Amino acid sequence: MSSSTNDTRPSGQETGILAVLGKINPLIFVLLALYILMLIMSDRFFSFFNQMNIMRQASVFLIIAIGQTFVIGSRGIDLSVGSAVGAVGCFMASLIAWGVPVPFALLLGVLMGMAIGLVNGLVITKLKVNPLIATLGMMVALRGATHYLMGDQVVTRLPAAVQYLGQGIVFGIPMPAIIAAMAAIVGYWLFFHTRFGRYTLAIGSNEGAVGLVGISVDWMKIKIYMFQGVCVAVAAAVLIGRLNGASPDLGLNYELHIIAGVVLGGTALYGGVGSIIGTVLGILTIGIVENAMVLIRADFHLQRVLIGALLIAAVAYQNYRRRKQGIGE
């Protein structure tokens, strides 16, 4: 009798509430705190124009970060995404400037992005080069090749159709934000409702076990990097449309933003754990922080210091949770 009376409902409900709170991405609370802080510090932050500007600025990063979520979820990494954006963007803009029809030029850009991903994947799987080194080499090579081929040339005055991808407005929403939202939806579906997503996380969790059940790990990794290349090409098209042009420095230092956003959103660097919604929240958090620092006139270099600190904090938190759960390296 006494044992049954001590087993009260409130304790069970409390456990349930804690369980629900434990499943909520902590970045939601960070975003709420940022908005409350900016409500106090700036009256311009909440303007419709500024909110749309945040969405527009974050969109290119988010599109690339969708692909990076798959890469990191598979226990890989791609440091070449910024240079790939520059190379693909200049390629597409140059084709258009030479008179190639816009749809065909964009399609060739997507194929180029896939080719970059294919090379990354082959170097990693067939030459057995560590993903960090392979994509670092690709980052340097692509940036150098783009500067060599473009020289001091800057492509400008792109057709209205291309500009619409980066500057268009649909029912008050920037077109880049709509494209980014579509990319996130596709990424979410692939990640959680297809074999492609399940195999990605499985490879990140236990690559050896995946190979034992007859799945080609090498081919899966190649497809993951090719998917990253598609995301890069879409982002490059949006970016050249927004800037109405392309230069060899396009996409410079994008790697930090994208990897920080993905890791901040909960995708684990040790693989096997990933979240598309978390990636969206991570990229938005960085976008809001950068926007807020501009509004309060903080030094530009402090923005990079803060983003670097956020990345370190996110990895440290992942390692802490991993140790707490008793998961080995």
Side-chain angles (χ1 to χ4, degrees):
M1 290 288 292
S2 60
S3 62
S4 63
T5 54
N6 288 335
D7 185 18
T8 58
R9 293 289 181 185
S11 62
Q13 291 175 354
E14 182 179 344
T15 303
I17 292 171
L18 290 174
V20 170
L21 288 175
K23 294 179 180 179
I24 297 176
N25 193 304
L27 280 183
I28 292 177
F29 302 111
V30 174
L31 286 170
L32 287 174
L34 284 172
Y35 269 88
I36 293 171
L37 181 64
M38 290 309 298
L39 177 64
I40 299 170
M41 298 185 66
S42 174
D43 57 351
R44 292 185 294 163
F45 180 78
F46 284 92
S47 68
F48 179 78
F49 174 80
N50 189 60
Q51 293 301 305
M52 292 303 100
N53 188 49
I54 292 173
M55 294 173 64
R56 189 179 292 106
Q57 295 286 345
S59 295
V60 171
F61 294 126
L62 177 56
I63 295 167
I64 304 170
I66 297 300
Q68 191 77 240
T69 303
F70 283 79
V71 171
I72 294 178
S74 69
R75 207 166 190 167
I77 198 163
D78 190 349
L79 298 178
S80 68
V81 289
S83 295
V85 166
V88 174
C90 287
F91 177 66
M92 290 190 293
S94 297
L95 289 177
I96 293 168
W98 295 336
V100 175
V102 170
F104 191 52
L106 297 182
L107 176 60
L108 289 176
V110 171
L111 292 176
M112 181 180 178
M114 292 176 66
I116 292 170
L118 174 63
V119 173
N120 278 334
L122 288 173
V123 170
I124 291 165
T125 59
K126 303 306 179 183
L127 299 183
K128 305 302 179 184
V129 178
N130 182 281
L132 182 71
I133 302 302
T135 58
L136 178 63
M138 180 64 82
M139 176 184 77
V140 176
L142 283 175
R143 187 65 68 186
T146 304
H147 274 277
Y148 176 76
L149 294 172
M150 293 288 291
D152 296 328
Q153 180 184 0
V154 177
V155 181
T156 58
R157 299 180 182 179
L158 297 174
V162 179
Q163 292 182 47
Y164 186 75
L165 293 175
Q167 302 176 22
I169 302 290
V170 179
F171 299 115
I173 307 298
M175 192 63 188
I178 295 173
I179 295 172
M182 293 171 62
I185 291 170
V186 171
Y188 184 90
W189 175 73
L190 287 173
F191 209 62
F192 294 107
H193 297 284
T194 68
R195 290 181 181 179
F196 181 64
R198 289 194 295 271
Y199 291 169
T200 294
L201 291 180
I203 289 171
S205 297
N206 193 330
E207 181 178 320
V210 173
L212 289 175
V213 298
I215 299 169
S216 175
V217 174
D218 285 358
W219 176 231
M220 269 302 304
K221 287 184 177 181
I222 290 170
K223 288 194 292 185
I224 290 167
Y225 279 93
M226 289 176 70
F227 177 67
Q228 172 73 95
V230 172
C231 293
V232 162
V234 173
V238 172
L239 185 58
I240 64 173
R242 195 181 83 199
L243 300 176
N244 190 22
S247 71
D249 287 328
L250 203 68
L252 191 63
N253 296 325
Y254 275 24
E255 300 84 13
L256 173 63
H257 286 74
I258 292 156
I259 294 172
V262 172
V263 175
L264 196 61
T267 297
L269 282 173
Y270 51 79
V273 178
S275 171
I276 296 296
I277 294 176
T279 293
V280 174
L281 294 175
I283 293 295
L284 283 177
T285 299
I286 292 175
I288 289 169
V289 167
E290 289 186 324
N291 180 266
M293 294 188 75
V294 169
L295 290 178
I296 64 175
R297 299 181 180 179
D299 189 277
F300 168 75
H301 298 290
L302 288 178
Q303 297 178 26
R304 302 184 70 181
V305 170
L306 184 56
I307 293 171
L310 286 173
L311 177 58
I312 293 170
V315 174
Y317 178 68
Q318 286 182 4
N319 290 336
Y320 165 75
R321 290 197 63 179
R322 204 173 185 218
R323 289 194 302 269
K324 190 175 181 181
Q325 295 168 1
I327 302 174
E329 293 296 333

